[in-house]
Amino acid sequence: MMLKIDWGEPVMPENDVLHVQPSDLDALYVAASDFDKSNLFFVLLTSFHHYMDAGKREKAAHLCFLMAYYLFITLTPPGSCELAMHYIKQAIALNPLETYREWLPLIEKGN
């Protein structure tokens, strides 16, 4: 999927959330300005809270997975391992998919 972010609307459209894959985040990161590379994380975070508050656990879990990936692999800010660990554990708690569980030992190894 070609990920397009409406920077004026910080919540991802509901129909798009489960279709976003880590490769989509990577592609946006490569094309984005430094400012928008950071802003993408906040769009993911805002979307997570929106769908969590709405009781949409599957979407919230997927957003946690995407945040963990983006922090650990792509953005790598200070504290990326700790933050990624927090979000991958939250993704697993919300929806224990094998895809999410596979990331736990990778993040535990650190980057």
Side-chain angles (χ1 to χ4, degrees), residues 33 36 48 57 69 80 91-92 94:
S33 68
D36 287 342
F48 161 70
R57 293 172 58 95
Y69 174 87
S80 62
I92 294 166
L94 290 167

Side-chain angles (χ1 to χ4, degrees), residues 2-10 12 25 28 39-40 43-44:
M2 179 64 167
L3 181 60
K4 294 183 182 180
I5 301 293
D6 176 357
W7 300 111
E9 175 52 51
M12 286 185 170
L25 302 178
L28 195 140
N39 279 341
L40 176 55
V43 168
L44 294 169

